[in-house]
Amino acid sequence: MEPSTQKLIHTFGALADLGQEIAGTGDFTEMVRTSLHLLLGTLALRRGAVAECIDEGSLRCVAVWGLGDELLSGWTIAETEKHQLLDAEAKECLVRYSDKSFISRNFDGLSNSGIELVLPMIVRGDVTGLVLLGGKASGEEFSNADFETIKAMTRHIGVGIHTHRLLEQVAQRAEENRRLYEELRAIYRDTVRAFAAAIDIKDKYTQGHSERVGRYSEIIAQEMGWSEQEVEGIQIAGYLHDIGKLIVDRDIINAPYHIDAKRSSDLNRHPAAGYEILSPINHPYADIPLMAKYHHERLDGRGYPDGLTDEQIPMGAKIVSLADAFDAMTTDRPYRRRRSFEDVVRDLRENSGKQFDGKVVTAFARAILKEVNGEAKKRPITKMLGKGYLEGENVRGLLTDLISELESRSRGAAAQTVTS
Ligand SMILES: [Fe+2]
């Protein structure tokens, strides 16, 4: 093989290696350093450096070989000088022949360091940085083929630096977006909580109801293994489930006795009204308007507004429904005191499968039991129910019985489905 062919193959090999190095996603400085070594090795050069243009034309040395690290420190390259370099042929960038002002201005520094060639890395018409090269180890002059190789490899390194910068910008923007998104989410949550407080203020007997329904819904969904995003969504739905009450007459909401049929039908408009209020809003979570709309539906079809049955009711609405009913049973109302925990558990057992979904009740009972058993890190349910409410001797037994009864019912239902 002729020496020139051999050299060509060698150069191609080096270019391929360089391409691979640049496409890699590893350490940026390492990538530039390896690229410089490949370039120096291919042409057997003694020394060289790669510098990138940073703010306002100042140069930062990214990789250096055979030269002092202090080279280029404090050097800048003016816009006009960039243009001169952009227009220059590789040969004109030879230090000893060039009158390009950047090179001639820094002639002493360059030639004292043994730099012979200063090449701009050009990407998309802009100077990304400079490649500085010393002479050949053999003392020979650069040939035309050498210049071509140098130009090609310089382009490669320039593209690598440019790509790296773009990726950095993308990562920075992504981080900014993430922060903005977090802020927006926090603002959304705070606004929703403010709304919940506004809803509850209208109803003087149920202060804090919406907030508690939000928390109970969150706890149930967590126990059911929902994702973080879904849990956040159901909490919001809980906060907002009664938003439709904003359009119901304050007297009806605050009636200190059981209301008559006409007033009751007015009050029963609130889930559909809530849906009307919530559906035009672009929520960051799915199905919030539907959870509000269907929080008074029942599995047996006797709920409102649409009289849906089991499968037709979204799981989120079933959760909010239980959280809502549980809070209603466990807080004082104008016409009655709150019910004992035993009484509440009896209600849940009797109404599972009719009003409530057994799976949802089971999950809630499990979450309460974890708190009672001291297995939970925090005890929000105990806190919301107030001191003493969950402290009866039989609380644990009531919950364990409820869970096993509901589980055996669901096993029975599953067996029936298989045999039928
Ligand atoms: Fe409601």
Side-chain angles (χ1 to χ4, degrees), residues 209 241-245 267 270-271 292 295-296 304 320 324:
H209 168 69
H241 75 286
D242 268 348
I243 197 168
K245 281 192 179 167
L267 185 61
H270 80 273
H295 78 274
H296 283 295
Y304 60 93
V320 176
D324 187 23

Side-chain angles (χ1 to χ4, degrees), residues 53-312:
C53 286
I54 47 176
D55 310 326
E56 291 170 12
S58 52
L59 290 166
R60 186 181 76 92
C61 209
V62 186
V64 62
W65 180 258
L67 295 160
D69 272 343
E70 69 288 351
L71 179 80
L72 297 173
S73 91
W75 289 24
T76 54
I77 174 164
E79 264 325 293
T80 47
E81 292 173 340
K82 277 188 191 176
H83 286 291
Q84 287 168 336
L85 287 170
L86 277 174
D87 296 338
E89 278 295 310
K91 274 182 222 171
E92 296 176 50
C93 292
L94 276 174
V95 172
R96 60 181 177 280
Y97 298 131
S98 177
D99 58 359
K100 302 296 165 205
S101 69
F102 173 80
I103 302 175
S104 51
R105 185 159 64 80
N106 295 300
F107 179 83
D108 289 345
L110 291 166
S111 57
N112 290 343
S113 308
I115 299 292
E116 290 198 8
L117 194 56
V118 179
L119 274 153
M121 291 183 282
I122 301 156
V123 183
R124 297 183 177 224
D126 193 26
V127 178
T128 312
L130 300 176
V131 171
L132 297 94
L133 300 172
K136 294 176 113 179
S138 60
E140 288 168 37
E141 294 286 315
F142 289 114
S143 67
N144 283 343
D146 291 338
F147 280 127
E148 290 309 312
T149 307
I150 291 170
K151 270 162 61 181
M153 294 183 99
T154 302
R155 251 201 318 273
H156 259 67
I157 302 171
V159 168
I161 292 178
H162 184 73
T163 309
H164 170 77
R165 279 189 196 163
L166 286 181
L167 287 175
E168 255 185 356
Q169 277 172 10
V170 168
Q172 207 178 344
R173 295 239 171 90
E175 174 57 24
E176 275 166 25
N177 279 346
R178 197 195 58 75
R179 254 207 321 270
L180 265 176
Y181 176 68
E182 282 300 320
E183 270 171 36
L184 277 177
R185 260 192 0 184
I187 292 169
Y188 175 84
R189 250 198 319 267
D190 290 349
T191 312
V192 165
R193 289 179 85 158
F195 255 118
I199 299 161
D200 292 344
I201 279 169
K202 198 169 178 188
D203 185 344
K204 65 178 177 183
Y205 296 110
T206 57
Q207 293 268 313
H209 168 69
S210 301
E211 173 100 27
R212 288 192 298 273
V213 172
R215 287 291 280 134
Y216 288 137
S217 303
E218 178 196 359
I219 292 162
I220 299 168
Q222 242 161 10
E223 186 63 39
M224 291 178 79
W226 283 27
S227 71
E228 201 181 325
Q229 173 89 358
E230 289 168 329
V231 168
E232 272 182 31
I234 192 98
Q235 185 182 21
I236 301 290
Y239 287 154
L240 294 175
H241 75 286
D242 268 348
I243 197 168
K245 281 192 179 167
L246 290 174
I247 61 133
V248 178
D249 208 348
R250 189 183 283 264
D251 292 344
I252 296 175
I253 295 176
N254 288 321
Y257 42 76
H258 280 290
I259 46 180
D260 60 32
K262 155 83 181 73
R263 289 170 157 215
S264 160
S265 86
D266 273 353
L267 185 61
N268 291 357
R269 279 170 42 224
H270 80 273
Y275 178 76
E276 296 300 320
I277 296 171
L278 294 173
S279 50
I281 301 169
N282 208 347
H283 302 275
Y285 311 97
D287 295 343
I288 288 186
L290 281 180
M291 295 186 205
K293 184 175 185 179
Y294 295 135
H295 78 274
H296 283 295
E297 295 290 357
R298 299 167 49 106
L299 267 65
D300 58 14
R302 290 172 49 224
Y304 60 93
D306 292 346
L308 302 182
T309 51
D310 188 0
E311 311 274 88
Q312 296 169 310

